[in-house]
Amino acid sequence: LMRLSKLLPASLRKTDTVIPVVRMQGAIMANSSPMRQNLSLAGVAGPLQRAFDMKDAPVVAISVNSPGGSPVQSRLIYSRIRELAEEKQKRAEAERAEAEKQRQKADKERAEADRQKAESERRRAAEEQKTREAEKRAREAEQRRKAADQVEREKKVEQMRRRQRRQRGRHAVSANDANAAATRPPRGRR
């Protein structure tokens, strides 16, 4: 049927391009069991070969839904896809379905958690800064109060000394008066 369609004029031929899709699903591991479908080179080699053998397909689409697994098997599958693409001169376009979405979601959640942690750290640092500033203001106020108390004590001491000097001066004057009176002749005897 394909050969006959080539004999038809282009306007009557089917012009839709068929793109083969290879769907891979499961964890990437060397061994698999009937209960659990895993991806391995042995399990995907046949579908990959059939997809790349389609002559009219310019590209092969590969849909991968895997949480990850063996790096060795991943590399073997990747190498086989690259070999077939080079050998058949076709492009291989991969789509990472759910696993990629989950990874992106996990990355977003991690970024949001990191942002919240950074915000929390920023708030904590701001609170610590406020506390340090309040403590500094309290220390400065205490120092000012102590300085004011010291100045007040010094004033009181100075006032007390002045009083003592005044009192000593009065006593000295009184003593001088008494000495002068004793050495002076009485008023009436001159």
Side-chain angles (χ1 to χ4, degrees), residues 55-69:
K55 292 181 182 175
D56 292 335
V59 68
V60 174
I62 300 170
S63 175
V64 181
N65 185 3
S66 173

Side-chain angles (χ1 to χ4, degrees), residues 10 20 33 42 60 73 80 93 112 115 118 121 156 162:
S33 67
V60 174
Q73 284 298 314
R80 183 63 183 150
E93 295 291 328
E112 178 62 21
R115 187 194 65 74
E121 286 293 320
K156 286 181 181 177
R162 283 186 199 146

Side-chain angles (χ1 to χ4, degrees), residues 103-131:
R103 187 190 60 75
Q104 289 174 351
K105 182 180 176 185
D107 289 346
K108 284 181 184 177
E109 289 171 354
R110 214 176 358 262
E112 178 62 21
D114 290 345
R115 187 194 65 74
Q116 288 176 351
K117 183 179 178 182
E119 180 66 21
S120 174
E121 286 293 320
R122 187 193 62 74
R123 283 189 200 128
R124 186 187 58 75
E127 287 297 321
E128 286 178 359
Q129 181 66 26
K130 285 180 185 177
T131 302

